[in-house]
């Protein structure tokens, strides 16, 4: 997969950066710089092309995911992280996802489908990636959720459902709500930074 790797402090987790629809592997570098400036970074570009916009998995229409492709791409991304850990010699067991929108959705999908695929996650404006499956045990996998009370793409109840699903799988979840919409706000980035510093 197209990506950027930046070597940082080996004692900290490696941040896996996952952009939103239409973004690329450069998009979230400034965000990583704000949240964990010393951490190594693996920033990936989604392999799916939707009318010229990069995504991490296909959708049938806005908010309706192509489940078969979601599962395929989730495994593909996991494989890519495994290989990158070998190539760049970072600790595969210490990877924290930092995703926005479509990128947060594939990070959530990794947590829903593959045990021990991530050490933790910062999910900005994520949806429920899939329904009707049992999640693996997420004990020791903390998650930060940033959400907007007026997000036109993600009703509050959907975010709450995501939080409940993760909690039921024993993840310790921190929620932070802004009064905004789908856009990423400075206040949630600041909260995510505090959460990261507390946990790592
Ligand atoms: C998705 O398709 O993952 C969500 O609708 C968010 C987005 O627009 O990327």
């Amino acid at each position: 997969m197209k990506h950027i790797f930046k070597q940082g402090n080996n004692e900290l987790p490696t941040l896996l950066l996952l952009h939103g629809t239409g973004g690329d592997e450069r998009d979230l570098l400034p965000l990583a710089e704000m949240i964990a400036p010393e951490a190594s970074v693996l920033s990936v570009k989604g392999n799916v092309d939707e009318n010229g916009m990069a995504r991490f998995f296909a959708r049938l229409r806005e908010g309706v995911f192509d489940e078969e492709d979601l599962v395929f791409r989730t495994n593909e991304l996991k494989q890519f992280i495994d290989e990158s850990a070998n190539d760049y010699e970072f600790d595969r067991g210490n990877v924290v996802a930092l995703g926005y929108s479509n990128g947060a959705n594939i990070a959530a999908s990794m947590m829903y489908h593959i045990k021990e695929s991530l050490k933790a996650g910062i999910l900005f404006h994520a949806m429920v990636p899939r329904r009707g499956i049992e999640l693996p045990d997420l004990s020791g996998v903390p998650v930060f959720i940033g959400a907007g009370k007026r997000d036109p793409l993600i009703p509050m109840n959907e975010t709450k459902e995501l939080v409940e699903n993760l909690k039921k799988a024993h993840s310790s979840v921190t929620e932070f709500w802004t009064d905004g919409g789908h856009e990423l706000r400075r206040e949630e980035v600041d909260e995510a930074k505090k959460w990261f510093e507390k946990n790592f």
Side-chain angles (χ1 to χ4, degrees), residues 20-82:
T21 299
D24 64 26
E25 72 282 12
R26 291 182 301 268
D27 267 27
L28 300 193
L29 293 174
L31 201 56
E33 195 61 38
M34 285 187 248
I35 292 174
E38 286 177 26
S40 294
V41 160
L42 177 66
S43 189
V44 188
K45 182 176 181 188
N47 267 345
V48 170
D49 180 333
E50 185 190 82
N51 307 319
M53 294 187 299
R55 288 176 53 85
F56 287 96
F57 57 88
R59 59 181 164 183
L60 305 176
R61 55 180 185 278
E62 195 170 275
V64 183
F65 301 158
D66 177 337
E67 270 193 11
E68 199 180 314
D69 190 63
L70 174 67
V71 171
F72 175 80
R73 299 292 173 190
T74 300
N75 287 313
E76 180 185 54
L77 179 60
K78 188 253 179 203
Q79 183 86 33
F80 176 73
I81 303 166
D82 293 352

Side-chain angles (χ1 to χ4, degrees), residues 19-22 50 55 57-59 61-65 100-103 105-106 125 127 153-154 182:
H19 62 79
T21 299
E50 185 190 82
R55 288 176 53 85
F57 57 88
R59 59 181 164 183
R61 55 180 185 278
E62 195 170 275
V64 183
F65 301 158
Y100 168 67
S101 191
N102 181 246
N105 292 342
I106 195 138
H125 303 259
M127 302 169 80
L153 283 179
I154 314 173
H182 198 61

